[in-house]
Amino acid sequence: MAIRNYQTTDYPAIAEIYNASKLDELKFEECKYVLLPLDQDAKRRSDLLSSTIFVYGTNKIKGYSAVAGSRIQSLYVHPDYRGRGIGRALLAFALESIGGDATLQVVKSNAPSKTLYRTYGFVDIEESEVNYNGMNVTVNKMLRRQ
């Protein structure tokens, strides 16, 4: 497993992964969303950079996760590297770093991600609306009790 702490020089790779992956989590929605690149999304960029970030990859970063307290702030794997266990490895590493109860937010219609989270013991506890690039999207807050 090649997971390590984020370094500021990793930012371009992180932004590339985010930009290549963000709309995938919204692809099951009825509405058509337009990508707001990470560099232009001040809130998500700030939330990410104020978190503890872990990256997967030695020579090339293939995915990352971010933790803020007991919350998994984000988890993305570059589309070219999906299906290889990278998301599972990053999720397990993030949960280990939290060491107790953990929460996360996921787009309600994103069944593949929700299936992964459920295999790690997460359950839906709340539903709300968030705004992405001027459009609302329904999300579920999920909880995993330790």
Side-chain angles (χ1 to χ4, degrees), residues 9 27 36 38 47 52 54 59 65 70-71 82 84 94 98 115 132 138:
T9 55
K27 71 182 177 185
L36 181 60
L38 186 59
D47 287 348
T52 301
F54 306 108
N59 297 331
S65 62
S70 63
R71 181 173 188 237
R82 292 188 187 144
R84 302 179 187 187
I98 291 170
T115 297
Y132 177 72
T138 303

Side-chain angles (χ1 to χ4, degrees), residues 21 24 27 29 36 41 48 69 71 80 83 97 107 117 121 124 145:
S21 302
D24 286 347
K27 71 182 177 185
E29 291 292 297
L36 181 60
D41 192 332
L48 174 66
R71 181 173 188 237
D80 293 345
S97 77
V107 174
Y117 300 141
D124 295 350
R145 293 235 183 250

Side-chain angles (χ1 to χ4, degrees), residues 59-92:
N59 297 331
K60 179 172 176 61
I61 297 172
K62 299 173 181 172
Y64 71 93
S65 62
V67 173
S70 63
R71 181 173 188 237
I72 297 175
Q73 187 77 17
S74 60
L75 192 157
Y76 289 102
V77 176
H78 193 283
D80 293 345
Y81 299 100
R82 292 188 187 144
R84 302 179 187 187
I86 295 169
R88 288 181 179 277
L90 283 165
L91 179 57

Side-chain angles (χ1 to χ4, degrees), residues 1 44 53 63 113 118:
M1 180 173 17
R44 284 177 179 81
I53 304 170
S113 292
R118 285 186 177 118

Side-chain angles (χ1 to χ4, degrees), residues 8-141:
T8 55
T9 55
D10 296 328
Y11 181 77
I14 297 298
E16 176 189 345
I17 292 166
Y18 176 91
N19 294 341
S21 302
K22 181 63 181 174
L23 291 181
D24 286 347
E25 73 178 321
L26 298 164
K27 71 182 177 185
F28 302 103
E29 291 292 297
E30 292 180 16
C31 300
K32 186 83 167 164
Y33 290 83
V34 176
L35 176 68
L36 181 60
L38 186 59
D39 285 339
Q40 297 173 27
D41 192 332
K43 180 182 179 353
R44 284 177 179 81
R45 184 174 189 268
S46 174
D47 287 348
L48 174 66
L49 295 177
S50 65
S51 302
T52 301
I53 304 170
F54 306 108
V55 299
Y56 185 104
T58 47
N59 297 331
K60 179 172 176 61
I61 297 172
K62 299 173 181 172
Y64 71 93
S65 62
V67 173
S70 63
R71 181 173 188 237
I72 297 175
Q73 187 77 17
S74 60
L75 192 157
Y76 289 102
V77 176
H78 193 283
D80 293 345
Y81 299 100
R82 292 188 187 144
R84 302 179 187 187
I86 295 169
R88 288 181 179 277
L90 283 165
L91 179 57
F93 195 90
L95 290 170
E96 186 177 310
S97 77
I98 291 170
D101 293 354
T103 62
L104 56 80
Q105 230 177 23
V106 61
V107 174
K108 181 179 179 178
S109 65
N110 189 349
S113 292
K114 290 182 80 174
T115 297
L116 170 64
Y117 300 141
R118 285 186 177 118
T119 64
Y120 281 81
F122 281 91
V123 295
D124 295 350
I125 60 167
E126 197 174 291
E127 186 173 295
S128 62
E129 296 285 320
V130 297
N131 184 284
Y132 177 72
N133 200 11
M135 296 176 66
N136 285 341
V137 62
T138 303
V139 297
N140 291 127
K141 182 176 183 179

